[in-house]
Amino acid sequence: LSFSKLCKYKKMNILIDIGHPAHVHYFRNFIKIMENKGHKFLIISRNKELEQYLLNIYKIPYIDRGVGSKKIIGKFLYMFKADYLIFRKALKFKPDLFLSFGSIYPAHASFLLRKPHLAFDDTEHSTGQYKLYSPFTEVVLIPSCFTKDLGKKQIRFNGYMELCYLHPNRFTPDTSVLDLLGVKQDEKYVIIRFVSWNASHDIGQSGLNTEKKHEIVEELSKYAKVFISSEGELPEDLKKYQIKIPPEKMHDALAFATLFVGEGATMASECACLGTPAIYVNSLTAGTLEEQERYRLLFGFRNSEGVIEKAIELLNTPNLKQEFQQRRQKMLSDKIDVTAFMVWFVENYPESAKIMKENPEYQWRFR
């Protein structure tokens, strides 16, 4: 049987590789829906940040593939280790299809087993990663606003990866987070995000220096309660601002925030999807963020100049949240429910790839 006929006559075994906490959110709704349809999953997960914590929270079983290395030679050796682990587990699981967010390891294993690997990607500057996984990948699914042309393997969809889990069909914010934060229903609060700048694509990039971080916290505290989310250790005098909620509650906190200021692209985009005004401070940008700027849901700054002034302007804007909810609705009217699209695409692959290439408008069925 061809792969397409196989999908029609039996339920699939699908292997997904998780390499970042965001990937858990990208795939968790898809996994639950597909499991309810009778498909089986093998999840392989890195163990570096919050990936496995979130998988446990969402009751998704997984196999640990370890941490990896920060050094070039260590990364190279880890690639062989992870490739071999996934290949060995796949031999036993017998996946019909491999799925990831631009991961090199399942791409290599899928090639050895002569099975298709479908990848999502929305990160234009991860060119090294793309070169390592794309030769072994059948389809790369990218947002319509992705600024690069990836050639014949690409299929564009009208959405953002963050809409896999923050589309209104998938997410309703829970007001109980306000009690966890210790804020009243109408009290203004700001979430500030600092990143560690340790990722490979962060080399040579910058956001807020230590002096500016202190200044932003001090100034914005005059207008609203301030919470800091930080990848790295905070200076002693800023620790009192550190947000203390379970990680899985962060999207609820972002949804009700008056304003977001941060160096993290994912959180900035999440805020845009939720209708929370977002100020993104980073020398790196992406097609997703640039489009969200055009919807006036996000304000991008390449350095710290003008950030405090813009933040104070927004905090002093009457009916700020109502205005941004209207902008959000305009954005959502142009987008699809990415999870619903993902379910259809995988269940009907490779016909779905053919349909999308010949008639991209088909995706509007998944609003």
Side-chain angles (χ1 to χ4, degrees), residues 190-197 206-209 212-213 216-217 220 227-231 254 259-269 271 276-284 289 298-304 307-308 311 314:
V190 178
I191 293 179
I192 300 176
R193 172 69 170 173
F194 301 140
V195 302
S196 62
W197 301 100
S206 62
L208 298 163
N209 61 35
K212 190 56 73 171
K213 288 176 181 179
I216 285 173
V217 172
L220 299 194
F227 297 98
I228 299 175
S229 166
S230 179
E231 280 184 334
L254 293 174
L259 177 67
F260 169 85
V261 181
E263 302 167 314
T266 298
M267 272 198 190
S269 180
C271 286
T276 295
I279 294 176
Y280 173 64
V281 192
N282 196 313
S283 51
L284 274 175
L289 300 168
L298 182 146
F299 305 92
F301 289 79
R302 293 300 177 94
N303 54 54
S304 60
V307 168
I308 292 174
L314 289 167

Side-chain angles (χ1 to χ4, degrees), residues 1-13 39 94-97 115-116 347 349-351:
L1 285 176
S2 69
F3 179 76
S4 56
K5 287 199 169 112
L6 186 69
C7 297
K8 293 183 187 349
Y9 291 113
K10 75 163 209 172
K11 301 306 179 187
M12 282 186 284
N13 287 349
H39 303 290
K94 296 182 172 56
D96 300 300
L97 179 143
K115 298 293 182 182
E347 278 204 306
Y349 182 81
E351 282 86 355

Side-chain angles (χ1 to χ4, degrees), residues 180-191:
L180 293 173
L181 292 169
V183 298
K184 301 183 184 71
Q185 192 81 34
D186 297 318
E187 188 177 354
K188 288 183 179 180
Y189 69 91
V190 178
I191 293 179

Side-chain angles (χ1 to χ4, degrees), residues 205-241:
Q205 306 301 327
S206 62
L208 298 163
N209 61 35
T210 303
E211 183 184 343
K212 190 56 73 171
K213 288 176 181 179
H214 282 86
E215 189 182 345
I216 285 173
V217 172
E218 184 182 337
E219 289 301 314
L220 299 194
S221 294
K222 298 173 184 176
Y223 299 89
K225 196 163 185 175
V226 169
F227 297 98
I228 299 175
S229 166
S230 179
E231 280 184 334
E233 184 80 10
L234 283 173
E236 203 60 42
D237 59 324
L238 293 184
K239 284 185 178 177
K240 63 183 178 182
Y241 297 101

